[in-house]
Amino acid sequence: MIGLNVSRFLSSTTIKHHIKKYREQYSLAPQMLDICLYGDDVISGAEDINNALEMSKDVDAVTKKACWNLRKWNKNDKIMVKL
């Protein structure tokens, strides 16, 4: 589907489907993905390390269940970088 005019629409619709699907099971990841996702990039943050750790774990779980391949994580906290 890459290169077709509908590729962005199909990708966006699929992502929105999975966000809705996992909204009840995971508290932070679906909300963050819904707000902070642009194309295939996510720019987000957290108020403290505990929220960041929970969000990171939730995002990993949701994306694995949805068969998304997350390839790049940029983190600026020593604890988060080790994950």
Side-chain angles (χ1 to χ4, degrees):
M1 293 294 217
I2 302 300
L4 298 177
N5 289 335
V6 296
S7 294
R8 185 173 293 271
F9 168 76
L10 292 174
S11 175
S12 176
T13 302
T14 302
I15 290 167
K16 295 289 185 186
H17 166 77
H18 288 289
I19 287 170
K20 288 179 186 175
K21 182 176 179 180
Y22 295 109
R23 193 173 299 276
E24 296 293 323
Q25 189 175 0
Y26 299 96
S27 59
L28 296 176
Q31 180 182 356
M32 184 273 297
L33 289 170
D34 196 23
I35 295 169
C36 300
L37 187 68
Y38 179 76
D40 60 356
D41 294 323
V42 176
I43 300 173
S44 182
E47 292 183 22
D48 59 42
I49 190 68
N50 292 329
N51 284 344
L53 288 169
E54 184 179 348
M55 188 182 322
S56 176
K57 289 177 185 176
D58 282 1
V59 168
D60 280 340
V62 168
T63 56
K64 284 180 184 174
K65 288 182 178 189
C67 297
W68 300 349
N69 182 19
L70 288 182
R71 295 180 293 156
K72 298 182 248 178
W73 274 102
N74 289 322
K75 303 167 185 174
N76 64 352
D77 184 276
K78 293 176 188 176
I79 295 172
M80 294 294 293
V81 170
K82 292 179 183 180
L83 299 177

